[in-house]
Amino acid sequence: MKSYLIKFFVFVCLCLLLDQSLTYLINRPSRHFDWRYEKVRESQLNAAILIVGSSRGARGISAEQLTKESGLNAFNFCYPGSSILFHLYCLETYLAHQTKTPKYVVLALDDDWAFKDNPWLSFRTNVLYGHTKYPDVNELLIAFGENHRLSRYFNVAKLRAVHFSWKRQEPIATDSIRPRGSMLLAVKNEHFQFKWVTPAQQIYDPSTERADYLAAYERIQQLCFEKKIQLVVAIPPNYQGPNAAFTKRVQELSSPRVPILLPNAQQKAYRDSAYYYDASHLRANGAEIYTHELNHYFERQN
């Protein structure tokens, strides 16, 4: 019995030693192609204009161009496929870990899914898989059921495939990231059939909105007011044209202190499929036009 207990003790010690050795894999810089989250967590950014949102913001707003035209450092922290709950998380994370508060936050809203359930928009937990070295990230993944509770104590339970990569992953063509975080699309989706449709009646049903999404939008506004940041809501163009009923709803939910920037209705490019990747996303040439429009706001402020 004594011999068995000794062997068991040695086995446990070896397992713990092996688990401790995994700290190297977990703590080293992430090998994921998207470097932005780690830059934010390590306080390596200083943006006067912070852009948050989903793919329409990532694809349709060029932080590089906005920096050049406005003279203010801009950073695009938008994630394709993300919901407004994740946009709030991105904003909270940025504010918690940067030494300087941005002067402006541009929130790109999806017309007209910003406050509704959508199979393409979610809280992007997969963005965080390579960052379990941060205890709060690991706790968040536990809360979402993505990591086991034992990951609080054992490194092996924190490991993901990205931790085993020895070089930075290569993104697919549509996910390449520019130096200031934008994910512009140079190509066109050749498989998408464009068809301009002008809705006979524009409607928006608030009864389908999610309470937690509305609360997230309210919290984004509160955070910006508390930090003395000017929040700017941008509704990027899409090939179907803007939904005026959705815009009205956004106005109802927004403080009078929050400007809502709409695409120029007279801009012919927004009805030309040559400027779109698909019906929802601008190509780089369309993003150049839209970013130039956004810059008019910052020109008026400075």
Side-chain angles (χ1 to χ4, degrees):
M1 183 67 177
K2 184 178 178 180
S3 175
Y4 172 80
L5 290 175
I6 291 173
K7 290 179 180 178
F8 179 75
F9 177 75
V10 171
F11 175 75
V12 170
C13 288
L14 288 174
C15 288
L16 291 175
L17 184 62
L18 177 60
D19 186 76
Q20 190 62 30
S21 70
L22 297 175
T23 303
Y24 168 74
L25 292 177
I26 292 170
N27 287 347
R28 66 181 181 161
S30 174
R31 293 330 196 234
H32 195 273
F33 73 87
D34 195 329
W35 45 265
R36 297 175 299 170
Y37 185 83
E38 191 159 55
K39 288 280 189 183
V40 168
R41 289 302 301 252
E42 298 301 322
S43 305
Q44 296 177 3
L45 293 169
N46 177 23
I49 304 173
L50 177 67
I51 308 159
V52 292
S54 66
S55 55
R56 290 188 185 178
R59 316 297 195 192
I61 302 175
S62 171
E64 295 73 25
Q65 179 184 339
L66 196 55
T67 297
K68 183 178 180 180
E69 294 187 0
S70 69
L72 300 170
N73 287 331
F75 181 69
N76 195 317
F77 204 28
C78 297
Y79 282 90
S82 63
S83 69
I84 196 167
L85 289 176
F86 195 71
H87 308 162
L88 171 60
Y89 175 74
C90 288
L91 176 59
E92 290 175 330
T93 301
Y94 187 94
L95 295 179
H97 295 284
Q98 298 309 300
T99 55
K100 292 186 178 180
T101 302
K103 187 176 182 180
Y104 302 97
V105 166
V106 177
L107 173 63
L109 288 182
D110 291 295
D111 177 2
D112 61 354
W113 292 101
F115 310 122
K116 301 177 183 179
D117 259 328
N118 184 302
W120 303 106
L121 303 175
S122 64
F123 193 98
R124 289 284 308 276
T125 52
N126 61 325
V127 169
L128 307 176
Y129 287 169
H131 305 288
T132 49
K133 62 183 176 183
Y134 304 115
D136 58 295
V137 170
N138 191 55
E139 286 297 321
L140 184 62
L141 291 175
I142 291 172
F144 272 90
E146 299 278 355
N147 275 6
H148 195 278
R149 283 176 292 178
L150 289 176
S151 62
R152 292 172 179 152
Y153 315 106
F154 301 109
N155 289 323
V156 68
K158 297 178 183 178
L159 287 174
R160 296 278 179 166
V162 68
H163 288 117
F164 294 98
S165 299
W166 291 107
K167 61 180 181 178
R168 188 175 292 278
Q169 295 175 344
E170 292 294 330
I172 60 175
T174 55
D175 281 344
S176 59
I177 303 174
R178 304 290 177 94
R180 292 185 180 272
S182 303
M183 303 174 73
L184 307 185
L185 296 165
V187 298
K188 186 176 181 179
N189 188 344
E190 299 297 338
H191 302 291
F192 187 84
Q193 298 296 317
F194 288 89
K195 184 179 180 182
W196 179 269
V197 178
T198 303
Q201 181 181 11
Q202 294 180 325
I203 59 174
Y204 182 83
D205 184 4
S207 69
T208 60
E209 294 173 336
R210 283 180 49 160
D212 55 344
Y213 283 18
L214 295 176
Y217 182 54
E218 178 62 27
R219 181 57 183 153
I220 289 171
Q221 294 183 74
Q222 289 176 350
L223 263 178
C224 290
F225 298 154
E226 290 169 6
K227 299 289 186 179
K228 295 181 171 53
I229 302 169
Q230 177 59 64
L231 176 63
V232 179
V233 169
I235 303 179
N238 60 74
Y239 193 69
Q240 278 75 32
N243 186 335
F246 171 74
T247 301
K248 182 180 179 181
R249 178 57 175 161
V250 174
Q251 291 169 338
E252 293 171 353
L253 296 170
S254 304
S255 164
R257 291 180 284 176
V258 177
I260 300 169
L261 307 185
L262 302 176
N264 178 6
Q266 306 305 314
Q267 176 55 256
K268 294 181 179 179
Y270 298 151
R271 294 194 175 204
D272 186 342
S273 64
Y275 293 88
Y276 288 88
Y277 174 78
D278 57 26
S280 299
H281 303 99
L282 292 167
R283 289 176 63 197
N285 55 356
E288 180 180 355
I289 294 171
Y290 181 59
T291 302
H292 186 67
E293 282 187 13
L294 288 182
N295 184 57
H296 293 332
Y297 168 81
F298 298 105
E299 286 179 338
R300 293 194 296 269
Q301 303 306 307
N302 297 292

